[in-house]
Amino acid sequence: MDNIAGQKSSLSLVTNIAVLLIVIAWLIPTVGLFVSSFRDRDQIAASGWWVAPFSVELTYRTRADATPTEQGNLFVIEGNIFESEEVRESFEDGESSIAAFGLRGREPGAFEAGTEAENRDGGTIQVNADGTYVYTSPEPIDGAPRVYFVAETPPEFTLDNYRTVLTADNMDRAFINTLTVTIPATIIPILIAAFAAYALAWMDFPGRGLLIAAVVGLLVVPLQLALVPLLNLHNQLGIGQSFVGIWLAHTGFGLPLAIYLLRNYMVGLPRDIIESAKVDGATDFQIFTKIILPLSFPALASFAIFQFLWTWNDLLVAKVFLPSAGDAAVMTVKIADDLLGSRGGDWGILATAAFVSIAVPLLVFFTMQRYLVRGLLAGSVK
């Protein structure tokens, strides 16, 4: 029988499975991003991150650069393709095998390993699965002939992607700029919204209901509509594109949600405590600072998480309200313009830059996530 105190509901198992599936679905992209950030670009393009521990079949181009010898009426080059100068580094960490080879870039796997193929000089070439090869020509061989081959390549994990991202020009400055934008843009809206939320929750004045309706209405206004008019206003005020400008912009865009969350939380606090304080002679400012703020910490923390994540990952507002040139670029702008702009096909750089970018927001989220649910549920149960 359900709904008896001390007994678990029959739906608890379904609920636990659903939560587990949601957690897995949330973690899979993050784990994939983390694994891909350590992989080579070619291996990322050839296989998914879930098979990263296994060998990958890749196509290589090299030269049969062993010393030619004359055997009868033929000139012969014999050696091991894995030891050629152009690909030696890729096969230093493990054994590999060749699946196919070719003489043209359009057909790198035209011949199966072990077969004898005719080359352009009228001679033959044979590349075996273990990498040994024999190249023959009836004419003297002036230069090392070009050879293409498809080989199983051992998995390779490297920190080169992180070195590229973290040592990019002025990346350290971009990290500091991001903190310079994010921290004030998180604190300022909380300070303003806390006062406004208290007034809308516990102070009686004409038009209070209209103000609450206006705050709810502002939640659905897209910020893209306000970017250009707000930038023009900043230019007229002399603020222009600066840190002060982006602080004010993030404050304005974040205030409706902050006031809405905090007001809903504060209006649910016990009325008896506040009325008792007023009977004892406490002013509204004393009630706000000594009673409301300490009791509203879960709601303050939940909004701080939202605002920090939003401003840290923001690209659009930073593009508009910060100078496009100079040392004021934040990490998102730096990654988009300097790293991804010129290396859009480099998935290793993309994955690494994304993981570096989300590392700090993840740390903030997991540090304060216990307050998130309590803050979001504020006012939902009366």
Side-chain angles (χ1 to χ4, degrees):
M1 181 179 291
D2 294 337
N3 302 324
I4 297 178
Q7 292 186 357
K8 291 185 178 180
S9 169
S10 58
L11 294 177
S12 61
L13 179 61
V14 178
T15 303
N16 293 335
I17 293 175
V19 172
L20 179 63
L21 292 176
I22 293 174
V23 171
I24 292 175
W26 188 84
L27 284 177
I28 284 177
T30 306
V31 174
L33 208 61
F34 181 71
V35 174
S36 298
S37 67
F38 292 99
R39 301 185 71 197
D40 179 73
R41 177 182 61 181
D42 295 332
Q43 296 200 359
I44 292 176
S47 65
W49 62 269
W50 53 92
V51 292
F54 306 103
S55 297
V56 180
E57 196 170 80
L58 296 178
T59 301
Y60 293 90
R61 185 183 71 167
T62 185
R63 292 184 182 277
D65 53 5
T67 304
T69 59
E70 187 173 357
Q71 299 180 9
N73 57 350
L74 290 177
F75 295 89
V76 180
I77 303 178
E78 293 182 280
N80 193 305
I81 207 74
F82 295 139
E83 297 176 358
S84 60
E85 184 176 352
E86 294 185 7
V87 299
R88 183 184 306 153
E89 186 177 348
S90 302
F91 299 96
E92 287 180 344
D93 298 331
E95 297 182 355
S96 182
S97 62
I98 292 179
F101 68 97
L103 298 172
R104 296 182 177 87
R106 292 178 297 178
E107 298 176 320
F111 311 104
E112 292 185 6
T115 60
E116 187 176 86
E118 184 176 348
N119 61 35
R120 301 173 184 174
D121 301 332
T124 60
I125 180 172
Q126 179 177 349
V127 180
N128 299 311
D130 60 358
T132 57
Y133 67 90
V134 179
Y135 183 94
T136 65
S137 174
E139 301 176 357
I141 303 174
D142 296 332
R146 178 67 72 185
V147 179
Y148 300 84
F149 65 93
V150 180
E152 289 287 335
T153 307
E156 180 180 358
F157 297 96
T158 176
L159 294 175
D160 289 346
N161 295 330
Y162 282 92
R163 292 192 189 96
T164 302
V165 172
L166 296 178
T167 60
D169 186 31
N170 283 334
M171 183 57 78
D172 52 345
R173 182 64 178 268
F175 181 82
I176 295 174
N177 289 341
T178 306
L179 290 176
T180 304
V181 170
T182 303
I183 293 176
T186 302
I187 295 175
I188 295 173
I190 291 178
L191 292 177
I192 299 174
F195 283 101
Y198 173 76
L200 293 175
W202 292 106
M203 296 177 70
D204 291 326
F205 56 88
R208 187 178 69 164
L210 292 177
L211 285 177
I212 296 174
V215 169
V216 175
L218 288 173
L219 288 173
V220 299
V221 176
L223 66 88
Q224 291 84 353
L225 293 176
L227 291 177
V228 175
L230 193 57
L231 181 60
N232 290 333
L233 177 62
H234 285 186
N235 289 332
Q236 293 173 4
L237 295 176
I239 299 174
Q241 292 179 309
S242 63
F243 285 117
V244 176
I246 196 170
W247 293 341
L248 294 178
H250 278 305
T251 299
F253 296 139
L255 271 179
L257 178 61
I259 295 174
Y260 178 76
L261 283 177
L262 295 179
R263 185 263 172 192
N264 281 356
Y265 188 90
M266 291 179 184
V267 80
L269 295 176
R271 178 180 292 273
D272 295 342
I273 298 176
I274 298 169
E275 290 181 347
S276 298
K278 288 183 177 179
V279 170
D280 291 340
T283 63
D284 282 319
F285 185 76
Q286 290 173 325
I287 294 173
F288 174 73
T289 56
K290 296 183 182 299
I291 298 177
I292 299 296
L293 278 185
L295 293 176
S296 302
F297 186 76
L300 295 171
S302 63
F303 173 74
I305 293 174
F306 277 125
Q307 185 70 359
F308 188 92
L309 298 180
W310 154 246
T311 53
W312 182 274
N313 294 316
D314 168 68
L315 175 64
L316 177 61
V317 178
K319 281 274 195 181
V320 174
F321 291 97
L322 286 178
S324 57
D327 297 330
V330 295
M331 285 187 67
T332 51
V333 175
K334 189 76 177 172
I335 291 172
D337 290 351
D338 293 356
L339 293 178
L340 306 187
S342 59
R343 308 182 188 189
D346 195 332
W347 293 104
I349 298 297
L350 284 169
T352 306
F355 199 81
V356 169
S357 178
I358 69 174
V360 174
L362 281 179
L363 179 64
V364 172
F365 177 79
F366 285 117
T367 303
M368 304 181 71
Q369 59 91 23
R370 59 177 172 163
Y371 300 108
L372 180 63
V373 176
R374 293 167 59 186
L376 289 178
L377 294 178
S380 61
V381 179
K382 298 291 186 182

